Each structure stands twice: as structure tokens, then as C-alpha cells.
Amino acid sequence: MSEAILSLRHVSASYGPVRALEDISIDVNENEIVCLLGSNAAGKSTTLRTILGMTRASAGEIIFDGERIEHLTTPEIVSRGLTMVPENRRLFGKMSVRENLEIGANLRDDKKEIQEDIERVFLLFPRLKERIRQRAGTLSGGEQQMLAIGRALTARPKVLLLDEPSMGLAPILVEQVFETIEEINSQGTTIFVVEQNAHMALSIADRGYVLQTGSIVLSDTASNLLEHPQLSDAYLGEME
């Protein structure tokens, strides 16, 4: 198995007096797809925010590519190769598709390679190329999710963090998004995805963790988690 490129070691985090994460440990190995599953308010998004320094860890270590990063600012962390596709996309609605993609590369100055990465996004999402001058706010939900993923890719991340990529999408679009996540991974980007849709996430993942009220309660290979009775019965409801 590859060495971990991203590790959380006994990480805790709080919002004021409310403890959101409690002593969680997670490894994401290079070239893997790893999913973090759990119900609403389990702490999944807080985990991503803590990795990126948007929420400060109150205890523990976060190690990325051999370096502790929990003390760094979010731009410093992103510049090292960690990028997130946030929940609800959070695009710049009045800006065009191209402008949103260029914003994803705003920490880079290699203009030729940025253009190459934008062309790579258009190969993944031909529909975005058709709408290159269209305002992001006028795109469909599926197209906006494509653009949000594309924007993250123009930062050329070593690890791509995805927060609920299936949220608000029709089932056929969910399948397309997860097929694209697999394709991005096959091209060499490590993926850490937070999801409520357990079945879909585990169908593409190598391994998974289950979070309940801020604590890791299950971790295993994706295939074993799919067959684990606790996963559906106790934590996530029916996986259909």
C-alpha cells in the first residue's frame, strides 16, 4: 500500500464550547479514493474545514506530504497541494465559466500550464467548454458541480477534497459526477470525499471511515463497509 499523503492524528476541534471532532485519526494514501461517511451534523464538513485550516484543530496533528500543516493558513495549505470542492459549489455566479476556472489557479503564475489544465477540465467536462462565456449562476445544478470540480483542478492539487458532491443532483447526474471522480483519480489525483450517499461513495472508494457525533466509529475497506450491517442500520439509514 502507498504511503499516507494526508494523515489526521488524534485531531479534535471545537466551535466555542461545542466539541465538533473528538480524537479522530484518518489516513489517506497516495492515489487512493477514501470516503468519510456520516449523517447530518456528524462532523464531516468540519473535518474538511479543519484539514484546510478554516477551523483550527484544538488537539492533534495534521500531516500533509510529510509536513505538519495544522498551524498554517488556508492559502498556505492550498498552495502546498490541498484543494476543496465545497458543499453547495460556492461559485462566483456573475463571472463566466472561464473566469471561475482561472480563479481556481490564482495562486499559480505558470500561465501556459494553467491553460493546459483548463483544457484538461474541458476534456473532462465538454459541456463547460460549450458554456465557456456563460455566467456560472445561470448553469444547471449539474453543470455548476462540474465547474466547481474543474475550478479545484486548476489549482493542480495533490489531494482533492470533495464535500457532498452528490448534494442536490438528480441520480443520473450523481452517477456522472462519481464517474468523473474516478477518472480524476485515475489521472493521478488522490481523492478524499465526504458523502451522505454511502452506497455511491463506497462503490468508487478504496477505503472508508464512518463518523458519528464527531468520532470515528467504523473504518475498513470499501467492500467490507458495504457489507457491514452497522453502516446502514445504525448510522446512515437505507443505502438505496
Side-chain angles (χ1 to χ4, degrees):
M1 182 176 287
S2 301
E3 184 178 347
I5 188 170
L6 174 64
S7 294
L8 283 70
R9 294 277 178 261
H10 305 291
V11 169
S12 297
S14 301
Y15 294 116
V18 179
R19 182 63 64 92
L21 299 176
E22 183 70 56
D23 193 33
I24 69 168
S25 293
I26 292 171
D27 282 327
V28 180
N29 296 319
E30 197 166 7
N31 298 321
E32 278 191 313
I33 299 176
V34 175
C35 60
L36 180 63
L37 309 172
S39 58
N40 277 331
K44 304 188 303 300
S45 294
T46 299
T47 301
L48 295 185
R49 291 177 58 85
T50 304
I51 291 169
L52 282 174
M54 300 161 75
T55 297
R56 286 295 173 191
S58 55
E61 299 177 356
I62 303 172
I63 303 164
F64 176 62
D65 206 15
E67 177 187 8
R68 287 183 62 176
I69 62 170
E70 71 273 5
H71 62 286
L72 299 178
T73 66
T74 299
E76 288 171 334
I77 293 168
V78 171
S79 71
R80 282 160 171 76
L82 267 170
T83 305
M84 182 168 69
V85 179
E87 183 181 354
N88 296 325
R89 276 78 82 174
R90 298 185 187 174
L91 300 169
F92 295 92
K94 294 184 178 180
M95 292 185 180
S96 71
V97 166
R98 173 174 281 282
E99 288 168 334
N100 271 271
L101 292 175
E102 290 171 344
I103 283 172
N106 67 348
L107 295 178
R108 298 170 57 186
D109 56 12
D110 49 337
K111 292 185 178 179
K112 181 179 178 182
E113 293 183 356
I114 290 170
Q115 183 56 42
E116 289 173 356
D117 287 342
I118 289 174
E119 290 302 323
R120 175 193 173 203
V121 170
F122 290 152
L123 286 174
L124 281 169
F125 303 114
R127 196 175 304 173
L128 292 183
K129 189 167 188 176
E130 296 170 5
R131 290 156 172 71
I132 189 169
R133 294 181 178 84
Q134 190 169 326
R135 288 187 178 186
T138 66
L139 300 176
S140 70
E143 291 164 350
Q144 288 187 6
Q145 186 62 280
M146 293 174 194
L147 181 54
I149 293 172
R151 181 181 61 183
L153 291 177
T154 62
R156 196 172 280 189
K158 296 176 184 176
V159 177
L160 181 62
L161 311 175
L162 294 128
D163 192 359
E164 304 281 7
S166 72
M167 179 172 286
L169 300 182
I172 189 169
L173 293 176
V174 172
E175 290 185 17
Q176 291 174 5
V177 165
F178 276 87
E179 286 172 2
T180 302
I181 292 169
E182 283 188 289
E183 176 64 21
I184 292 166
N185 177 246
S186 74
Q187 295 177 5
T189 303
T190 304
I191 306 286
F192 184 48
V193 57
V194 158
E195 253 299 333
Q196 284 194 69
N197 187 331
H199 189 274
M200 184 60 72
L202 290 170
S203 72
I204 68 165
D206 297 289
R207 296 184 298 109
Y209 294 83
V210 179
L211 196 63
Q212 185 187 37
T213 58
S215 297
I216 300 292
V217 293
L218 286 173
S219 64
D220 210 332
T221 64
S223 57
N224 285 347
L225 285 174
L226 275 168
E227 298 175 358
H228 201 296
Q230 278 186 288
L231 184 65
S232 56
D233 294 344
Y235 302 114
L236 299 172
E238 294 298 323
M239 296 195 302
E240 295 178 354

